[in-house]
Amino acid sequence: SRMFPRLPVALLPDMCLNKEKFKDTTNEVLMTTKPVCKDFTAEDLKNGLPCHEFVTGVNATAKYMGEFEKGVLAHDGAVLLQSPFTFWVSIHDRVYNVTQYVNDIRNEQTKQIEKDHPMAYLEPTLNNLVINKLNEDATELFLSVYPDDRVLGCMDELFYVGIIDTRFDVICYVLNIIMYFLLCFVALIMIAQMFCSLMYIAK
């Protein structure tokens, strides 16, 4: 939920970060350790939606939510591909929304993504993976450069928004086929009725 802030970048493990970017202590966005609900919309702020700063990060959320944390948002792959305003990467069918990160590392004038941008705080290999696999499945590349899944913990903290829906419901599929058949049948009846009406008028 967007009411539970993500872990601040500065609190992530060193293995996930480009420590060179943190030498500039004037960069408040990277240096802050205060949790912020970045996913709030203007509507949320207007309605005074609370930000539960005491529950920060995946582990803290699991601790407080416990067994009630059962829902997982499933994303349709086709819908993700068609979204012009969202940048995402999928690894092991897990969806990571990197839109804000990508927008932060764009050149303000050219709007080009810069891998050496001051806000490119991810570990260089991970940063390149995100940039090169935007709106794609990065599982194969991830497995080729990382021997284990520890780095995914950081991706979960920063960008995780759900899974790709790979379910196949036979009943829904059959019902869709029947629906299309009935629509075609009704269309044929209407066309036949139109021709009969024209023939009647011609007489």
Side-chain angles (χ1 to χ4, degrees), residues 1-198:
S1 171
R2 56 183 180 273
M3 292 189 295
F4 300 103
R6 296 182 184 272
L7 196 69
V9 174
L11 299 181
L12 290 172
D14 289 348
M15 65 177 177
C16 304
L17 303 174
N18 184 345
K19 299 307 288 184
E20 289 294 318
K21 306 297 180 182
F22 290 82
K23 290 182 178 180
D24 179 11
T25 55
T26 61
N27 191 331
E28 295 182 6
V29 177
L30 297 186
M31 300 307 296
T32 184
T33 57
K34 184 180 183 341
V36 178
C37 289
K38 296 180 180 179
D39 297 330
F40 271 2
T41 63
E43 188 80 15
D44 294 333
L45 295 173
K46 182 180 178 182
N47 292 331
L49 206 65
C51 180
H52 303 300
E53 297 178 2
F54 65 94
V55 184
T56 304
V58 175
N59 293 331
T61 305
K63 175 184 175 183
Y64 281 93
M65 300 293 285
E67 62 181 292
F68 297 101
E69 190 188 12
K70 292 180 179 177
V72 177
L73 186 60
H75 299 270
D76 186 324
V79 173
L80 284 174
L81 287 172
Q82 293 168 5
S83 175
F85 306 110
T86 303
F87 294 109
W88 56 272
V89 170
S90 71
I91 301 173
H92 298 312
D93 287 335
R94 297 169 71 81
V95 181
Y96 299 99
N97 185 342
V98 294
T99 305
Q100 186 63 55
Y101 181 77
V102 170
N103 288 336
D104 285 344
I105 63 175
R106 286 183 183 278
N107 183 292
E108 291 185 8
Q109 280 75 40
T110 65
K111 300 301 180 184
Q112 294 295 314
I113 297 172
E114 297 180 344
K115 67 176 183 178
D116 296 321
H117 192 282
M119 286 299 293
Y121 55 78
L122 289 177
E123 183 267 327
T125 303
L126 188 58
N127 182 62
N128 288 337
L129 181 145
V130 168
I131 293 173
N132 294 327
K133 285 294 183 178
L134 283 179
N135 296 356
E136 294 182 34
D137 185 344
T139 304
E140 188 174 342
L141 180 58
F142 178 83
L143 292 174
S144 69
V145 294
Y146 290 105
D148 54 55
D149 290 347
R150 287 185 301 161
V151 175
L152 277 187
C154 300
M155 293 291 285
D156 287 345
E157 291 286 3
L158 294 170
F159 310 120
Y160 176 73
V161 291
I163 61 172
I164 291 182
D165 190 356
T166 57
R167 296 172 297 176
F168 180 76
D169 193 318
V170 177
I171 295 176
C172 286
Y173 180 76
V174 172
L175 288 175
N176 280 337
I177 296 285
I178 294 172
M179 182 184 70
Y180 286 126
F181 175 78
L182 290 175
L183 284 173
C184 292
F185 182 70
V186 170
L188 287 173
I189 290 176
M190 292 180 70
I191 291 171
Q193 187 177 16
M194 181 186 70
F195 278 117
C196 289
S197 299
L198 290 173

